[in-house]
Amino acid sequence: MHCVRVWTRSLCRVEYLGPWRRSLSHTAAGKLDLSGVYPPIATPFTAKEDVDYQKLEENLLKYAKIPFKGLVVQGSNGEYPYLTEEERVEVVNAVRRSLPLGKLLMAGSGCESTKATLQLTEKMAAVGVDAVLVVNPCFYKGKMDSRALIHHFTEVADSSPVPVVLYSVPANTGLELPMDAVVELCQHPNILGLKDSGGDITRIGLIVHKTEAQDFQVLAGSAGFLMAAYCVGAVGGVCALANVLGQELCELERLCKSGRWEEARVLQQRLIEPNASVTRKLGVPALKQAMEWFGYHGGACRSPLQPLTEAETLQLRRDFSTNGWL
Amino acid sequence: MHCVRVWTRSLCRVEYLGPWRRSLSHTAAGKLDLSGVYPPIATPFTAKEDVDYQKLEENLLKYAKIPFKGLVVQGSNGEYPYLTEEERVEVVNAVRRSLPLGKLLMAGSGCESTKATLQLTEKMAAVGVDAVLVVNPCFYKGKMDSRALIHHFTEVADSSPVPVVLYSVPANTGLELPMDAVVELCQHPNILGLKDSGGDITRIGLIVHKTEAQDFQVLAGSAGFLMAAYCVGAVGGVCALANVLGQELCELERLCKSGRWEEARVLQQRLIEPNASVTRKLGVPALKQAMEWFGYHGGACRSPLQPLTEAETLQLRRDFSTNGWL
Amino acid sequence: MHCVRVWTRSLCRVEYLGPWRRSLSHTAAGKLDLSGVYPPIATPFTAKEDVDYQKLEENLLKYAKIPFKGLVVQGSNGEYPYLTEEERVEVVNAVRRSLPLGKLLMAGSGCESTKATLQLTEKMAAVGVDAVLVVNPCFYKGKMDSRALIHHFTEVADSSPVPVVLYSVPANTGLELPMDAVVELCQHPNILGLKDSGGDITRIGLIVHKTEAQDFQVLAGSAGFLMAAYCVGAVGGVCALANVLGQELCELERLCKSGRWEEARVLQQRLIEPNASVTRKLGVPALKQAMEWFGYHGGACRSPLQPLTEAETLQLRRDFSTNGWL
Amino acid sequence: MHCVRVWTRSLCRVEYLGPWRRSLSHTAAGKLDLSGVYPPIATPFTAKEDVDYQKLEENLLKYAKIPFKGLVVQGSNGEYPYLTEEERVEVVNAVRRSLPLGKLLMAGSGCESTKATLQLTEKMAAVGVDAVLVVNPCFYKGKMDSRALIHHFTEVADSSPVPVVLYSVPANTGLELPMDAVVELCQHPNILGLKDSGGDITRIGLIVHKTEAQDFQVLAGSAGFLMAAYCVGAVGGVCALANVLGQELCELERLCKSGRWEEARVLQQRLIEPNASVTRKLGVPALKQAMEWFGYHGGACRSPLQPLTEAETLQLRRDFSTNGWL
């Protein structure tokens, strides 16, 4: 057990015991500082579709040289819905062991039921994650209204030994975490922020606005709108493309944070098409293919995700090359 | 192990060994006959959200008196995404033990990954289901095209010891199983049919038309369009409302099959609002509430599904009472 | 002026003066009987995109030999949004002059504003239509709620010299006429029924159910679900495909009305793909191309509608030929 | 006739004759400079729903004191779909007469058919607009692909005496002008830019990127994402909220253009809720109500747009007051 939880009234404070954790920065309000860029790392598989820990480690060694704030394990790009619960925890554990000092580790622990989410969150905390990223349940879409989601996330945050980051990814879940639920949940002392992959910049600006009293931290969930999100008040991004062009995304962050907007814009614009290609357009198989081109281990996806067709591979390459990356 | 699989070339034949199975009827082409009405049974929970096997059994005793073709366990209304894999198998096992002679048992075994679906299908077969109902994976919506889905279902059907029924439920998955995938998959000897909960009657008619050479059996996935589905060639229905008004839905089936369309229409029309209320409008919590009113055990749902509000309960009651059911 | 309106209290009665009108049948409640099949006729254009009245008349002569209940002018397939107000009235006038005794003439008079709809309705009545088909306004989608739509249709029905048929066509308007608005409006004495092109058979069944006390007549808005619509209580259909396979759709009507459902199903199924091709899949240009193949004048559409590509033409032909129509 | 068109090869140059036009600025490439903020002005009506030219003029006098780049007449907020063609031209003419020297006048001239759009564009040019804003046709959604839309806009731009600005407003049309159509059309010498009201900031950034060689000018179509749009390269905005808080939006523009992003962010955030209230949430009736509160003439809308309910008025007021505007 890496941490103890101390509840003082409605306030949840998490005291980290491990020495490597002390190096993580905190916000003015004393919360874990999430600001920065994270790759939501891909999960390499062997030809037999088993997790390839060797290749995973080799990727991590390369990522260690990039000024990421930390890593996200089992965001959508990690194919977490295709991993067993045991695999989910074991992969996070493996990443934990390789993680350099001072890097933040966030892991996805969202499941459909509240009960399963509580249990997986406990397990993730036990292997040493700094925060959990909890996607909203979505199967019973029609009933996942604010009432249900506030109840769900409150239960999870109440019992989680580590801070919780909300996660809204409508392209996969078919459901956007409602604004009023976010505004309500931002008041929970154990909920730190939101990863928003929907990309509605008006909504992101409004969330920043309506949660600013709570020191709530918003992360852009995709590289396509990272600059615009910084512009309206986000503090960082969890971007699939960071698996491929991590250095460049950190550079974009640096330009935005230092107010060099003109240079930022030029860089941002060159990243939109490659990003769209490895996410919305061609998905995880494209992300993994592009990783191969840029010196990482991507490899195949678990079925039912299929390898790219030849035409798709050409399109992917074109989206990188016409923007000067290949 | 209740069955052996004999592969002769591309043909899959399943020989059932248990004596209770011999009583199930078969189509002219020798396939398991799916025709008829099924309740996709709800899963009762205790106050602590554990599966309440006692109450489940009591419900089954009552369902045994209704002329259902069989039972579907772990369709969407069974809250299967909220059950662990062990619970999923154990609930099916419990139902198997209570099932009267001659009733068909179909169980949901769909998971996001092909691998997990294969494994759960094996386990469901091992506890004696007559067929598995396999929902399409849906998390990576953008990549779940016909190519991926045909690959997925073919692998599942190739290895499944029992016949497979496809399951399309766009209200939950955000994805309709594409027509061309259905038309391709209907040729697989171990794929029997489709449960279509989307309710697009033009599509249902066309699926019947384009698969008729393969003796493919289409089941309506909701009571709201059961009569219309019969009209265009479906052979039965898996209807949430059958948990509540099972006798009435069997009566509707009888009227449709005997060509008494005028009487069928009158009955069908009175069922639309109650059905909408326990599905699209108010969901599983409403289904379980209505079950209580009609003498079954419904009880609470697992979180994050919430109990009905007072206003919702009134609306539910009104949808039954204005149609003469309460 | 072909008609006079007599208001007795809240009841609107329309007395037709022209002798040809006396032959139109009425329902038990004394309303104009809409039951039957109608082609929503296409508008032929010359090479310069002017209305080709000569070709229109030749089409009408051929339609006169088919047992249609009547004709719909300026439904969606008539390219009415591409006609000026003058053209809209003049085309209807031309059809009126060619219409055989006993055929019902329904014309689209819906505009975005209530005022414009009132005015065009007056003009349509003045050239002798038997009823107007009024599509819901849709530009300000977010504000076209039941309150606005009930207000709009009530004003139109209050002032219209001829009966009004509501028209819901979500594929074009992006908006389905809400159920509660239909249920409210069905009580207006000058609103006869609804043409529903959305194809949600559960909704159609429920509308029939909830309006039956008002002698409200529902027409299927597409051939793809004509049989299912009859099955749940519709009285007829306004079907683009009737421009091409009019005799066959009248035969389908006859089979449905005489309870020969098995034969009806076989015919219905062969019509789904051709119908989808000339509507949802390839649109008005395909409808006009198919008309040419079947001996009618179709010709080109007004811009921005484009002629079919070669690949589209092949697909269209295949959708007819694989179903035995070409 | 206020202008002559000179075609030199593929280049379209428009020479303005009126002295008031000479004061309009041009881009480096010699095109009309669109940069800046515009209110898409509302159309005041009398109690009888006639255009109230008196009140319109009084609004214009007040707008003249705000550093707008110009005015947009008959954008979506002008209720143009509810005006006759004559009214559309006459309203523009009236605005033309009141417009101060140096202000740019842009008028909506989009219709469903290419022919009608050509004609209205000619009329708008004849009364002296500096550019036309042309929304994409949308009724036959399924057929309005890039091929059709490129054809449509090319014909319009070829024949228009004044430059053309594309207009994409999916909330009303149900259709987003496709990226590839925009990239193709940006090469037309008489197409200046795009008003994008969809608000997808990734798309806006990519459009700026892929059209930069053509000096193509992108305008944000709503105040909610104005700052983010500037950030990714837009040159201005056409914002409903500018009818109410015009000075503030010009201030936001000034902050963005002078790189004072921190101040800009604070102001932007306070504008999101009022903007959402007068557009997406409550629409034109709310815009007109808010105009009244801020000293302009708003008044009623044409039917079928309905006045706000009391609850809606309260919500509107709250969206302004909680952000410190009332």
Side-chain angles (χ1 to χ4, degrees):
Chain A
M1 194 64 175
H2 296 76
C3 59
V4 296
R5 205 174 3 145
V6 183
W7 286 95
T8 319
R9 296 195 186 180
S10 70
L11 192 80
C12 165
R13 289 181 52 241
V14 179
E15 295 187 23
Y16 299 103
L17 302 181
W20 43 267
R21 288 185 188 271
R22 296 205 182 98
S23 58
L24 293 177
S25 60
H26 288 71
T27 67
K31 290 186 178 174
L32 185 63
D33 179 1
L34 300 175
S35 66
V37 170
Y38 305 72
I41 63 168
T43 308
F45 294 110
T46 66
K48 290 193 169 172
E49 293 199 3
D50 293 321
V51 177
D52 190 329
Y53 288 97
Q54 174 69 29
K55 290 193 169 169
L56 174 61
E57 185 137 349
E58 290 174 23
N59 284 343
L60 295 176
L61 283 175
K62 287 173 185 154
Y63 291 148
K65 297 175 189 153
I66 298 175
F68 293 135
K69 177 58 168 257
L71 300 177
V72 167
V73 189
Q74 286 159 42
S76 298
N77 297 287
E79 294 173 70
Y80 77 81
Y82 295 170
L83 302 180
T84 65
E85 190 181 316
E86 293 70 32
E87 287 173 327
R88 288 183 71 170
V89 176
E90 187 44 38
V91 166
V92 170
N93 201 16
V95 174
R96 171 77 279 173
R97 289 191 303 261
S98 301
L99 199 74
L101 192 72
K103 298 285 184 181
L104 197 154
L105 177 58
M106 205 184 311
S109 68
C111 303
E112 278 293 318
S113 78
T114 307
K115 198 174 191 173
T117 306
L118 292 175
Q119 289 170 354
L120 187 53
T121 297
E122 287 280 346
K123 289 180 184 175
M124 291 300 190
V127 294
V129 304
D130 300 302
V132 286
L133 183 68
V134 183
V135 71
N136 56 275
C138 64
F139 189 76
Y140 298 103
K141 291 181 175 46
K143 294 300 290 175
M144 289 300 103
D145 53 14
S146 291
R147 182 168 66 112
L149 293 169
I150 289 172
H151 183 270
H152 175 78
F153 283 112
T154 300
E155 287 222 0
V156 173
D158 277 353
S159 87
S160 172
V162 293
V164 168
V165 178
L166 310 174
Y167 181 19
S168 178
V169 57
N172 288 338
T173 63
L175 198 68
E176 194 157 58
L177 192 49
M179 170 73 71
D180 62 340
V182 175
V183 171
E184 172 81 19
L185 290 166
C186 80
Q187 301 176 45
H188 194 289
N190 205 25
I191 295 180
L192 286 188
L194 166 71
K195 172 186 174 188
D196 191 305
S197 296
D200 177 343
I201 202 70
T202 305
R203 166 184 155 96
I204 290 174
L206 187 54
I207 287 174
V208 171
H209 182 44
K210 292 181 83 82
T211 64
E212 62 197 344
Q214 276 74 34
D215 196 32
F216 191 73
Q217 303 171 71
V218 178
L219 298 168
S222 192
F225 53 91
L226 181 58
M227 181 198 183
Y230 270 115
C231 172
V232 300
V235 301
V238 181
C239 308
L241 190 63
N243 282 291
V244 181
L245 296 174
Q247 193 69 56
E248 290 75 7
L249 281 166
C250 290
E251 171 68 7
L252 178 55
E253 175 204 18
R254 199 179 59 83
L255 295 172
C256 290
K257 292 185 76 166
S258 55
R260 294 161 66 181
W261 296 102
E262 290 299 325
E263 291 160 89
R265 182 182 306 150
V266 172
L267 178 53
Q268 169 68 83
Q269 289 181 348
R270 291 174 57 209
L271 296 169
I272 297 175
E273 283 181 303
N275 177 68
S277 225
V278 302
T279 57
R280 184 177 48 76
K281 271 201 300 188
L282 299 172
V284 184
L287 175 65
K288 287 183 152 181
Q289 174 62 71
M291 286 173 69
E292 296 282 344
W293 291 338
F294 285 82
Y296 301 96
H297 296 296
C301 293
R302 271 201 177 158
S303 176
L305 284 175
Q306 298 296 299
L308 298 182
T309 63
E310 205 170 323
E312 289 172 334
T313 307
L314 284 172
Q315 188 189 341
L316 174 67
R317 180 165 279 279
R318 204 164 43 236
D319 283 332
F320 276 85
S321 62
T322 59
N323 287 283
W325 302 115
L326 275 178
Chain B
M1 194 64 174
H2 296 78
C3 59
V4 296
R5 204 174 7 144
V6 183
W7 287 94
T8 318
R9 295 194 188 182
S10 69
L11 192 81
C12 164
R13 289 182 52 242
V14 178
E15 294 188 23
Y16 299 102
L17 301 182
W20 42 269
R21 288 184 188 271
R22 295 206 183 97
S23 57
L24 293 177
S25 59
H26 289 71
T27 66
K31 291 186 177 174
L32 185 64
D33 179 2
L34 300 174
S35 66
V37 170
Y38 306 72
I41 62 169
T43 309
F45 295 110
T46 66
K48 292 193 168 172
E49 294 199 2
D50 293 321
V51 177
D52 191 329
Y53 288 98
Q54 173 70 29
K55 290 193 169 169
L56 174 61
E57 185 137 349
E58 290 174 24
N59 284 343
L60 295 176
L61 283 175
K62 288 173 185 154
Y63 291 148
K65 296 174 190 155
I66 299 175
F68 293 135
K69 176 59 168 257
L71 300 177
V72 166
V73 189
Q74 287 159 42
S76 298
N77 296 288
E79 294 172 70
Y80 77 81
Y82 296 170
L83 302 180
T84 64
E85 190 181 316
E86 293 69 33
E87 287 174 327
R88 289 181 71 170
V89 176
E90 187 44 37
V91 166
V92 171
N93 201 15
V95 175
R96 170 78 278 172
R97 289 191 302 261
S98 301
L99 199 75
L101 193 72
K103 296 286 182 180
L104 197 154
L105 177 58
M106 205 184 312
S109 68
C111 302
E112 278 293 319
S113 78
T114 307
K115 200 173 190 172
T117 306
L118 291 176
Q119 288 170 355
L120 187 53
T121 297
E122 287 279 346
K123 289 180 184 173
M124 292 299 192
V127 295
V129 303
D130 300 303
V132 285
L133 185 66
V134 183
V135 71
N136 55 275
C138 64
F139 189 76
Y140 298 104
K141 291 182 175 44
K143 294 300 290 176
M144 290 300 102
D145 52 14
S146 291
R147 183 169 65 112
L149 293 169
I150 289 171
H151 183 270
H152 175 77
F153 282 112
T154 301
E155 285 222 2
V156 173
D158 277 353
S159 86
S160 172
V162 292
V164 169
V165 177
L166 310 174
Y167 181 20
S168 177
V169 56
N172 289 337
T173 63
L175 199 69
E176 193 158 59
L177 192 49
M179 170 73 71
D180 62 339
V182 175
V183 171
E184 172 80 19
L185 289 166
C186 80
Q187 301 176 45
H188 194 289
N190 204 27
I191 295 180
L192 284 188
L194 166 72
K195 172 185 173 188
D196 191 305
S197 296
D200 177 344
I201 202 70
T202 305
R203 165 183 154 95
I204 291 174
L206 187 53
I207 287 174
V208 170
H209 182 42
K210 291 181 83 82
T211 64
E212 61 197 345
Q214 276 74 34
D215 196 30
F216 191 73
Q217 302 171 72
V218 178
L219 298 168
S222 192
F225 53 91
L226 181 58
M227 182 199 182
Y230 270 116
C231 172
V232 300
V235 302
V238 182
C239 307
L241 190 63
N243 282 292
V244 181
L245 296 174
Q247 193 70 55
E248 290 75 6
L249 280 165
C250 291
E251 171 68 6
L252 178 55
E253 175 205 17
R254 200 179 58 84
L255 294 172
C256 291
K257 291 184 77 166
S258 55
R260 293 160 66 181
W261 295 102
E262 289 299 326
E263 291 160 89
R265 182 184 305 150
V266 172
L267 178 54
Q268 168 69 82
Q269 289 182 347
R270 292 174 58 208
L271 296 169
I272 296 176
E273 283 182 303
N275 177 67
S277 225
V278 301
T279 57
R280 183 176 49 75
K281 273 202 298 188
L282 299 172
V284 183
L287 175 65
K288 286 183 153 182
Q289 175 60 72
M291 286 173 68
E292 296 282 344
W293 291 338
F294 285 83
Y296 301 96
H297 297 296
C301 293
R302 271 202 177 157
S303 175
L305 284 175
Q306 298 296 299
L308 298 183
T309 63
E310 204 170 324
E312 289 172 334
T313 307
L314 283 173
Q315 187 188 341
L316 174 67
R317 180 167 279 278
R318 204 164 43 236
D319 283 333
F320 277 86
S321 62
T322 60
N323 287 282
W325 303 115
L326 274 177
Chain C
M1 193 65 173
H2 294 80
C3 60
V4 296
R5 204 174 6 146
V6 183
W7 287 93
T8 319
R9 298 198 184 176
S10 69
L11 192 81
C12 164
R13 289 185 51 245
V14 179
E15 295 189 21
Y16 299 102
L17 301 181
W20 43 267
R21 287 183 188 270
R22 294 205 185 97
S23 58
L24 292 177
S25 59
H26 288 70
T27 67
K31 292 186 177 173
L32 186 63
D33 178 2
L34 300 174
S35 66
V37 170
Y38 306 72
I41 62 168
T43 309
F45 295 110
T46 66
K48 291 192 168 173
E49 293 199 1
D50 293 321
V51 178
D52 191 328
Y53 288 98
Q54 174 69 30
K55 290 193 169 169
L56 174 60
E57 184 135 353
E58 291 173 23
N59 284 344
L60 295 175
L61 283 175
K62 288 173 185 154
Y63 292 147
K65 296 172 189 155
I66 299 175
F68 292 135
K69 176 59 170 255
L71 300 178
V72 166
V73 190
Q74 287 158 44
S76 298
N77 296 288
E79 293 172 70
Y80 76 83
Y82 295 171
L83 302 180
T84 64
E85 190 180 317
E86 293 71 32
E87 287 174 328
R88 288 182 71 170
V89 176
E90 187 45 36
V91 166
V92 171
N93 201 15
V95 174
R96 170 78 279 171
R97 289 191 303 262
S98 301
L99 198 74
L101 193 72
K103 297 286 183 180
L104 197 154
L105 177 59
M106 205 184 312
S109 69
C111 302
E112 277 294 319
S113 79
T114 307
K115 200 174 192 172
T117 306
L118 291 176
Q119 289 170 355
L120 186 53
T121 297
E122 287 280 347
K123 290 181 184 174
M124 290 301 190
V127 296
V129 304
D130 299 302
V132 285
L133 185 66
V134 183
V135 71
N136 55 276
C138 63
F139 189 76
Y140 298 104
K141 291 181 176 45
K143 295 300 290 175
M144 290 301 105
D145 52 15
S146 291
R147 183 169 66 113
L149 292 169
I150 289 171
H151 183 270
H152 175 78
F153 283 112
T154 301
E155 287 223 359
V156 172
D158 277 352
S159 87
S160 171
V162 293
V164 169
V165 177
L166 309 174
Y167 181 20
S168 178
V169 57
N172 289 337
T173 63
L175 199 67
E176 194 156 59
L177 192 49
M179 169 73 70
D180 61 339
V182 174
V183 171
E184 172 80 20
L185 290 166
C186 81
Q187 300 178 45
H188 194 290
N190 205 24
I191 295 180
L192 284 188
L194 165 72
K195 172 186 174 188
D196 192 304
S197 297
D200 178 343
I201 202 70
T202 305
R203 167 183 152 95
I204 291 174
L206 186 54
I207 288 174
V208 170
H209 181 44
K210 291 182 82 83
T211 64
E212 61 197 346
Q214 276 74 35
D215 198 31
F216 191 73
Q217 301 170 74
V218 177
L219 298 168
S222 192
F225 53 91
L226 181 57
M227 181 198 183
Y230 269 115
C231 172
V232 300
V235 302
V238 181
C239 307
L241 191 63
N243 281 290
V244 180
L245 296 175
Q247 193 68 54
E248 289 75 7
L249 281 165
C250 291
E251 170 68 6
L252 178 56
E253 176 204 18
R254 199 179 60 83
L255 294 172
C256 291
K257 293 184 75 166
S258 55
R260 294 159 66 181
W261 295 103
E262 290 298 326
E263 290 160 88
R265 181 183 307 151
V266 171
L267 178 54
Q268 169 68 83
Q269 290 182 346
R270 291 174 58 208
L271 296 170
I272 296 176
E273 283 183 301
N275 176 67
S277 224
V278 301
T279 57
R280 183 176 50 77
K281 275 203 295 189
L282 299 171
V284 184
L287 176 65
K288 287 183 153 182
Q289 174 60 71
M291 286 173 68
E292 296 283 344
W293 291 338
F294 285 82
Y296 301 96
H297 296 296
C301 292
R302 271 201 177 159
S303 175
L305 284 176
Q306 299 295 300
L308 298 183
T309 63
E310 204 170 323
E312 290 173 333
T313 308
L314 283 172
Q315 187 187 343
L316 174 66
R317 180 166 279 277
R318 202 165 43 234
D319 283 332
F320 277 85
S321 62
T322 59
N323 287 283
W325 303 115
L326 275 178
Chain D
M1 194 65 174
H2 294 78
C3 61
V4 296
R5 205 173 5 145
V6 183
W7 287 93
T8 319
R9 297 196 185 179
S10 69
L11 192 80
C12 164
R13 289 181 53 243
V14 179
E15 295 187 22
Y16 298 102
L17 301 182
W20 42 268
R21 288 183 187 270
R22 294 203 185 99
S23 59
L24 293 177
S25 59
H26 288 71
T27 67
K31 291 187 177 173
L32 186 63
D33 178 2
L34 300 175
S35 66
V37 170
Y38 305 73
I41 63 169
T43 308
F45 295 110
T46 67
K48 290 191 169 174
E49 294 200 0
D50 293 320
V51 177
D52 190 329
Y53 288 98
Q54 175 68 30
K55 291 194 168 168
L56 174 61
E57 186 136 350
E58 291 174 22
N59 284 345
L60 295 175
L61 282 175
K62 287 173 185 153
Y63 291 147
K65 298 173 189 156
I66 298 175
F68 292 135
K69 176 59 169 254
L71 300 177
V72 166
V73 191
Q74 285 156 44
S76 298
N77 297 287
E79 293 172 71
Y80 77 83
Y82 295 170
L83 302 181
T84 65
E85 189 181 316
E86 292 70 32
E87 287 173 327
R88 287 182 72 170
V89 176
E90 187 45 36
V91 166
V92 170
N93 201 15
V95 174
R96 169 79 278 172
R97 288 191 305 261
S98 301
L99 199 74
L101 192 72
K103 296 285 184 181
L104 197 155
L105 177 58
M106 205 185 311
S109 68
C111 302
E112 277 295 319
S113 79
T114 308
K115 199 174 192 171
T117 306
L118 291 175
Q119 289 171 354
L120 187 53
T121 296
E122 286 280 347
K123 289 180 185 174
M124 290 300 189
V127 295
V129 304
D130 299 303
V132 285
L133 185 66
V134 183
V135 70
N136 55 276
C138 63
F139 189 76
Y140 297 104
K141 290 180 175 46
K143 295 300 289 174
M144 289 300 103
D145 53 15
S146 291
R147 183 168 66 113
L149 292 170
I150 289 171
H151 182 270
H152 175 78
F153 282 112
T154 300
E155 287 222 0
V156 172
D158 278 352
S159 87
S160 171
V162 293
V164 168
V165 177
L166 309 175
Y167 181 21
S168 177
V169 57
N172 288 339
T173 63
L175 198 68
E176 194 156 58
L177 192 49
M179 170 72 70
D180 62 338
V182 174
V183 171
E184 172 82 18
L185 290 165
C186 80
Q187 301 178 45
H188 194 289
N190 205 26
I191 295 180
L192 285 188
L194 166 72
K195 172 185 174 189
D196 191 304
S197 296
D200 177 344
I201 202 70
T202 305
R203 167 184 153 96
I204 291 175
L206 187 53
I207 287 174
V208 170
H209 181 44
K210 292 181 81 83
T211 64
E212 62 198 344
Q214 275 75 35
D215 197 31
F216 191 74
Q217 301 171 73
V218 177
L219 298 168
S222 192
F225 53 90
L226 181 57
M227 180 197 185
Y230 269 116
C231 172
V232 300
V235 302
V238 181
C239 307
L241 190 63
N243 281 291
V244 181
L245 296 174
Q247 193 68 55
E248 290 74 7
L249 281 166
C250 290
E251 172 67 7
L252 179 55
E253 175 204 18
R254 198 179 59 82
L255 294 171
C256 290
K257 292 185 75 167
S258 55
R260 294 160 65 182
W261 295 102
E262 290 298 326
E263 292 160 88
R265 183 182 306 152
V266 172
L267 178 53
Q268 169 69 82
Q269 290 181 348
R270 292 174 58 209
L271 297 169
I272 296 176
E273 283 181 303
N275 177 68
S277 225
V278 301
T279 56
R280 183 176 48 77
K281 273 202 298 189
L282 299 172
V284 184
L287 176 66
K288 287 183 153 182
Q289 174 59 71
M291 286 173 68
E292 296 283 344
W293 291 338
F294 286 81
Y296 301 96
H297 296 297
C301 293
R302 272 201 176 159
S303 175
L305 283 176
Q306 298 296 299
L308 298 183
T309 62
E310 204 170 322
E312 289 172 334
T313 308
L314 283 172
Q315 188 188 343
L316 175 67
R317 179 166 280 277
R318 204 165 42 234
D319 283 333
F320 276 86
S321 62
T322 60
N323 287 282
W325 303 114
L326 275 178

